[in-house]
């Protein structure tokens, strides 16, 4: 059988030949890739010459290319368009990959060469990016356990393998619940739903074999509009409870036992490394540096957010009472009455706004903003291969026509795609052994319609992920380990979050927010009301997010996690912080994929707020010039996007802003006007 991974791809720009790649191609390619990678490492450690940056660090940068290419295709397809066969391979190979990576990370001969160079780093005459690469590589070995005694190394490897399996199972369990559940509605069940929500539900029904009916799924873009507009309180409760109970069902797809084991293993891992808790271990290599700094940030907004949410709740209760509902506001009521209050306070209706936010126009807004800020041009290439008909492909060029990269845009929810929104890459930029351009993908989960209409929040999500895309696409570094988004977790959200601000620039909305039927621009009065309402319900939004970040921190600051009762622990944490009963945490533990479907955001969910301090303060610099497209500031901002991990994050930020960030802009942006000193 011909296996595309063992061939030279002749596809344009080196895109994967998606039409030829089958699930059965991955196992032999993975096996070959791991064996080849081990041979490459053996060649480095067996080199009789003394360690040099070239024969050790640069040789490591060249290693694993075949495995990385196969993995890049597999993990993207498994997230964006999975099948039972791909899920089986993911379960089978997750521990094998973990074992493979730990075999390299704990190779004593390899570490000895890296450590030798690290000790002599000041004498090697390295360029700044090389020195940082050496320092970060050395730290990576140390944090993997390279300095541990043999028995502890063996235990670290076993923990890493088991965690890889647990992370994979956790994500698959959430996807199972999202695929398995649907709320099938008749025409008589649609009271309150505007046309765009009805059309999306009809489209979802068609895709799930329920043509002629209406279906609400557990995709956020489906369930949130239903909770916002449905006049059927009984059905809102059904949808809401299914949504928050993903991963929390007895049986083979129950994530609670997985969470207990994950937290216990992470705690053990941290203690092996000499830390009191997993959070201490994880945050030691972050901008925040320690748990106290993270907790301080979160609590600075928690008080003002709760105060604002309490005022919002009182308004919602008054509204509900005026409509004849005398029961207390429940979590499945909040969005419904918040929309009514928003309509009353700002004379603005989501159903009035949404027809102006056509997906195609918002994509063009994101593209053209990147053109004005960074000189990029996007040309659709329908001739290029894709893995699903929904995917749109664009070639990205400089204004002079120089090729920059390829952008895959995958915007619609489907049962084969995990929930949420994310950026990933099929290939990272580098300039090591010749120029290699990036292939970046953005995934969203919008409800497909004719046309597809977005909420303002949806449009912000599109801009957010596009900011991540720019971080990968504008990367201009030498070494692949430093490319694009390979930065500290609490810095990686700055490029994405600051880009969101350009959606709300009045010039952007006046140009691209156009009615899907008439093509008329959004009326200036409606635009004024829309922007005035941006801080509405921010108490709710900040509470649900900050509670999730505090819950993350509590899970990972435990010194003894072996017997964690997940539900009881969640209740105790929320009781301790005074969580309002009417608001649920944004991600309950059993579907908190940031934390438990991988380790990337474990002890790091605070990063969105940390980065918001940076992005709000950073965009304030543009406002201070009076020009949101100020070319001098845009050039400085582009340096953040292009530098990858070649420089310290705070050094990059201060070079752009001229000083370190301040929290006041964040409080202003979220409408939490209580000062830092009072918080």
């Amino acid at each position: 059988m011909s296996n595309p991974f063992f061939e030279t791809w002749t596809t344009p720009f080196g895109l994967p030949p998606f039409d030829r790649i089958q699930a059965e191609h991955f196992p032999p390619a993975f096996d070959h890739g791991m064996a080849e990678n081990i041979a490459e490492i053996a060649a480095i450690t067996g080199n009789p010459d003394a360690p040099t940056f070239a024969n050790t660090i640069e040789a490591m940068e060249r290693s694993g290319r075949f495995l990385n290419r196969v993995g890049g295709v597999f993990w993207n397809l498994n997230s964006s368009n999975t099948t039972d066969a791909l899920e089986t391979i993911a379960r089978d190979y997750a521990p094998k990959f973990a074992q493979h990576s730990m075999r390299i990370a704990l190779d004593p001969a390899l570490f000895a060469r890296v450590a030798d160079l690290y000790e002599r780093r000041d004498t090697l005459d390295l360029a700044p990016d090389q020195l940082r690469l050496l320092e970060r590589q050395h730290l990576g070995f140390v944090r993997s356990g390279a300095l541990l005694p043999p028995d502890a190394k063996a235990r670290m490897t076993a923990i890493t393998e088991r965690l890889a399996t647990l992370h994979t199972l956790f994500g698959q369990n959430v996807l199972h619940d999202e695929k398995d559940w649907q709320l099938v509605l008749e025409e008589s069940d649609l009271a309150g739903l505007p046309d765009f929500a009805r059309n999306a539900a009809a489209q979802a029904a068609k895709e799930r074999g329920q043509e002629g009916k209406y279906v609400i799924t557990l995709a956020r873009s489906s369930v949130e509009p239903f909770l916002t507009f449905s006049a059927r309180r009984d059905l809102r409760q059904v949808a809401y409870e299914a949504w928050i109970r993903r991963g929390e069902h007895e049986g083979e797809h129950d994530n609670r036992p997985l969470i207990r084991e994950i937290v216990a293993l992470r705690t053990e891992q941290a203690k092996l490394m000499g830390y009191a808790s997993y959070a201490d271990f994880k945050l030691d290599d972050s901008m925040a540096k320690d748990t106290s700094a993270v907790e301080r940030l979160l609590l600075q907004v928690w008080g003002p957010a709760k105060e604002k949410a309490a005022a919002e709740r009182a308004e919602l209760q008054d509204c509900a009472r005026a409509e004849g509902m005398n029961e207390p506001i429940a979590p499945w009521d909040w969005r419904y009455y918040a929309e009514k209050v928003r309509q009353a306070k700002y004379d603005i209706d989501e159903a009035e706004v949404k027809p102006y936010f056509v997906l195609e126009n918002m994509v063009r807004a994101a593209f053209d903003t990147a053109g004005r800020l960074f000189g990029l041009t996007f040309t659709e290439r329908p001739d290029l291969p894709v893995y699903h008909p929904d995917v749109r492909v664009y070639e990205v060029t400089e204004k002079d026509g120089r090729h920059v990269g390829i952008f895959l845009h995958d915007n619609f929810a489907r049962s084969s795609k995990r929930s949420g929104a994310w950026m990933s890459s099929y290939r990272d930029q580098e300039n090591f052994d010749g120029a290699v351009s990036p292939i970046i993908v953005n995934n969203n989960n919008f409800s497909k319609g004719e046309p597809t209409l977005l909420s303002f929040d949806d449009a912000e999500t599109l801009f957010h992920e596009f900011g991540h895309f720019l971080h990968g696409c504008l990367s201009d570094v030498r070494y692949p380990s430093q490319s694009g988004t390979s930065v500290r977790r609490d810095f990686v959200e700055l490029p994405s979050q600051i880009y969101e601000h350009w959606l709300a620039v009045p010039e952007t909305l006046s140009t691209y927010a156009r009615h899907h039927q008439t093509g008329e621009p959004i009326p200036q009065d409606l635009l004024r009301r829309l922007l005035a309402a941006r801080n509405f319900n921010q108490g709710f939004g900040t509470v649900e997010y900050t509670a999730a970040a505090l819950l993350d921190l509590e899970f990972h600051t435990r010194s003894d996690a072996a017997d964690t009762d997940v539900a009881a622990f969640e209740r105790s944490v929320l009781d301790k912080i005074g969580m309002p009963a009417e608001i649920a945490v944004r991600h309950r533990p059993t579907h908190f994929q940031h934390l438990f479907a991988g380790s990337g955001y474990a002890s790091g969910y605070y990063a969105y707020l940390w980065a918001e301090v940076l992005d709000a303060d950073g965009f304030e610099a543009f406002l201070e010039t009076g020009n949101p497209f100020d070319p001098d500031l845009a050039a400085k901002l582009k340096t953040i996007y292009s530098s990858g991990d070649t420089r310290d994050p705070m050094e990059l930020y201060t070079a752009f802003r001229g000083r370190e960030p301040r929290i006041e802009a964040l409080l202003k942006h979220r409408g939490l006007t209580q000062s830092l000193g009072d918080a």
Side-chain angles (χ1 to χ4, degrees):
M1 181 183 66
S2 175
N3 188 323
F5 290 112
F6 294 101
E7 302 168 3
T8 300
W9 292 347
T10 58
T11 44
F13 306 109
L15 278 158
F18 292 113
D19 60 327
R20 296 183 54 228
I21 294 173
Q22 303 297 321
E24 58 264 28
H25 294 146
F26 288 105
F30 280 142
D31 293 342
H32 173 83
M34 285 188 279
E36 179 182 87
N37 194 195
I38 293 300
E40 292 165 338
I41 297 302
I44 297 171
T45 59
N47 190 334
D49 295 337
T52 66
F53 188 83
N55 71 19
T56 302
I57 302 300
E58 289 190 332
M60 289 167 59
E61 288 294 294
R62 289 190 177 95
S63 69
R65 290 187 182 276
F66 182 93
L67 184 60
N68 289 339
R69 182 173 74 153
V70 180
V73 177
F74 177 81
W75 294 113
N76 275 298
L77 291 182
N78 191 50
S79 295
S80 302
N81 196 34
T82 197
T83 63
D84 290 344
L86 291 179
E87 289 194 336
T88 299
I89 294 168
R91 289 193 297 272
D92 289 346
Y93 272 83
K96 296 177 183 178
F97 294 138
Q99 184 183 59
H100 173 75
S101 65
M102 290 302 285
R103 181 176 174 181
I104 294 172
L106 298 180
D107 185 319
L110 184 61
F111 179 63
R113 295 181 72 92
V114 174
D116 176 79
L117 292 169
Y118 180 75
E119 292 301 320
R120 297 187 288 115
R121 62 192 182 280
D122 294 335
T123 69
L124 299 177
D125 194 28
L126 299 177
D129 64 329
Q130 295 176 319
L131 178 60
R132 183 168 177 82
L133 178 61
L134 171 57
E135 291 174 340
R136 298 292 296 165
Q137 289 281 23
H138 179 265
L139 182 63
F141 277 97
V142 171
R143 288 177 62 79
S144 295
L147 295 176
L148 295 177
D151 59 337
K153 285 183 179 179
R155 182 58 186 154
M156 281 289 283
T157 299
I159 289 172
T160 304
E161 289 179 34
R162 180 58 181 159
L163 283 172
T165 296
L166 294 170
H167 294 159
T168 302
L169 290 172
F170 186 96
Q172 290 183 356
N173 286 346
V174 176
L175 182 61
H176 172 272
D177 281 4
E178 291 173 347
K179 288 167 61 176
D180 194 52
W181 189 90
Q182 60 185 23
L183 179 62
V184 181
L185 305 175
E186 304 288 347
E187 184 77 33
S188 58
D189 299 321
L190 305 183
L193 295 185
D195 287 345
F196 72 81
R198 293 175 179 232
N199 293 340
Q203 180 70 28
K206 182 178 179 181
E207 291 172 359
R208 293 193 173 213
Q210 298 278 354
E211 193 150 9
K213 298 184 184 296
Y214 302 85
V215 164
I216 303 303
T217 73
L218 294 182
R220 187 174 290 272
S221 59
S222 175
V223 71
E224 279 199 339
F226 185 75
L227 293 172
T228 301
F229 294 106
S230 173
R232 289 283 302 276
R233 190 178 190 231
D234 58 333
L235 295 179
R236 292 202 310 269
Q237 181 175 357
V238 170
Y240 178 83
E241 290 183 343
W243 192 33
I244 66 167
R245 291 197 64 204
R246 288 169 289 160
E248 196 185 37
H249 304 286
E250 297 287 348
E252 62 177 321
H253 299 292
D254 189 353
N255 273 335
R256 286 169 291 188
L258 303 188
I259 293 171
R260 284 195 293 272
E261 190 175 355
I262 288 169
V263 173
L265 288 173
R266 287 174 177 170
T267 302
E268 184 183 355
Q269 193 177 41
K271 289 182 176 179
L272 282 171
M273 292 299 299
Y275 292 86
S277 71
Y278 186 78
D280 290 335
F281 167 63
K282 198 71 181 296
L283 294 171
D284 194 32
D285 186 33
S286 68
M287 291 184 75
K289 294 306 291 180
D290 56 49
T291 53
S292 61
V294 172
E295 190 172 37
R296 187 163 56 250
L297 170 69
L298 295 173
L299 293 179
Q300 280 171 358
V301 301
W302 181 245
K306 278 209 303 181
E307 187 177 325
K308 189 171 178 65
E312 292 168 357
R313 178 185 58 213
E315 289 184 307
L316 269 52
Q317 194 69 64
D318 288 345
C319 176
R321 197 172 293 114
E323 293 200 347
M325 192 194 85
N326 294 316
E327 297 177 54
I329 291 287
W332 49 88
D333 298 320
W334 189 290
R335 289 172 177 83
Y336 179 73
Y337 287 107
E339 178 62 17
K340 290 183 174 293
V341 171
R342 187 173 81 131
Q343 290 178 24
K345 286 187 74 170
Y346 297 97
D347 189 22
I348 193 164
D349 182 346
E350 182 76 8
E352 179 188 10
V353 171
K354 207 162 184 178
Y356 291 93
F357 285 81
V358 182
L359 172 61
E360 292 289 321
N361 293 346
M362 293 301 104
V363 172
R364 180 53 54 192
F367 288 174
D368 291 352
T369 297
R372 292 187 65 178
L373 288 171
F374 307 127
L376 298 181
T377 299
F378 295 79
T379 303
E380 187 162 12
R381 294 290 302 269
D383 56 308
L384 298 182
V386 294
Y387 56 85
H388 190 279
D390 285 346
V391 182
R392 308 278 289 271
V393 192
Y394 303 86
E395 181 184 2
V396 188
T397 57
E398 298 275 16
K399 287 185 176 178
D400 61 7
R402 182 182 68 85
H403 175 78
V404 176
I406 294 295
F407 178 46
L408 306 176
H409 216 186
D410 187 352
N411 281 315
F412 299 119
R414 53 179 173 269
S415 60
S416 61
K417 183 195 286 192
R418 71 174 173 88
S419 60
W422 68 96
M423 166 270 196
S424 186
S425 65
Y426 282 89
R427 184 177 69 203
D428 294 328
Q429 177 274 332
E430 59 172 287
N431 283 314
F432 185 18
D433 292 323
V436 175
S437 60
I439 300 173
I440 311 292
V441 59
N442 270 179
N443 277 275
N444 291 300
N445 268 286
F446 303 137
S447 295
K448 188 183 291 187
E450 296 293 340
T452 297
L453 303 178
L454 306 182
S455 67
F456 190 84
D457 286 347
D458 288 337
E460 277 195 328
T461 296
L462 187 147
F463 266 64
H464 177 100
E465 297 307 330
F466 194 79
H468 281 308
F469 154 75
L470 290 171
H471 200 184
C473 190
L474 287 171
S475 176
D476 186 14
V477 304
R478 184 174 3 184
Y479 299 110
S481 293
Q482 297 176 317
S483 184
T485 57
S486 301
V487 299
R488 295 185 188 183
R489 185 65 66 177
D490 51 5
F491 187 65
V492 76
E493 297 299 337
L494 168 62
S496 56
Q497 290 180 191
I498 196 170
Y499 201 73
E500 294 176 28
H501 290 272
W502 276 275
L503 170 65
V505 169
E507 184 179 344
T508 301
L509 294 174
S510 296
T511 304
Y512 299 100
R514 292 181 173 271
H515 198 279
H516 71 98
Q517 291 177 326
T518 67
E520 291 295 312
I522 189 168
Q524 286 300 306
D525 179 60
L526 178 57
L527 175 57
R528 178 189 57 75
R529 287 181 276 131
L530 173 65
L531 294 178
R534 286 193 70 207
N535 281 337
F536 176 71
N537 214 34
Q538 277 290 344
F540 169 86
T542 308
V543 162
E544 64 162 6
Y545 163 78
T546 308
L550 287 166
L551 188 60
D552 168 29
L553 206 59
E554 291 280 354
F555 264 117
H556 293 111
T557 51
R558 300 193 70 189
S559 58
D560 180 15
D563 298 317
T564 302
D565 179 323
V566 173
F569 183 75
E570 178 188 11
R571 285 194 301 272
S572 69
V573 172
L574 298 183
D575 287 346
K576 183 175 79 171
I577 64 176
M579 183 72 174
E582 305 83 4
I583 304 176
V585 63
R586 182 168 179 82
H587 302 290
R588 295 193 60 233
T590 54
H591 54 85
F592 205 161
Q593 297 197 73
H594 287 79
L595 303 196
F596 301 120
S599 61
Y601 280 92
S603 302
Y605 194 63
Y606 77 92
Y608 293 95
L609 191 65
W610 186 277
E612 192 174 341
V613 173
L614 303 179
D615 81 66
D617 184 70
F619 190 71
E620 196 80 10
F622 283 91
L623 298 181
E624 288 165 5
T625 70
N627 177 10
F629 297 94
D630 181 84
D632 293 335
L633 270 179
K636 292 179 180 178
L637 182 60
K638 188 175 183 179
T639 300
I640 290 179
Y641 284 93
S642 66
S643 294
D645 194 41
T646 59
R647 295 167 62 184
D648 178 77
M650 190 57 77
E651 176 190 323
L652 280 171
Y653 184 83
T654 53
F656 156 66
R657 188 64 167 104
R659 57 166 174 76
E660 291 196 356
R662 301 168 184 159
I663 198 173
E664 285 79 7
L666 175 143
L667 297 174
K668 173 184 171 186
H669 179 63
R670 283 187 173 253
L672 308 175
T673 53
Q674 186 169 345
S675 71
L676 178 59
D678 296 334

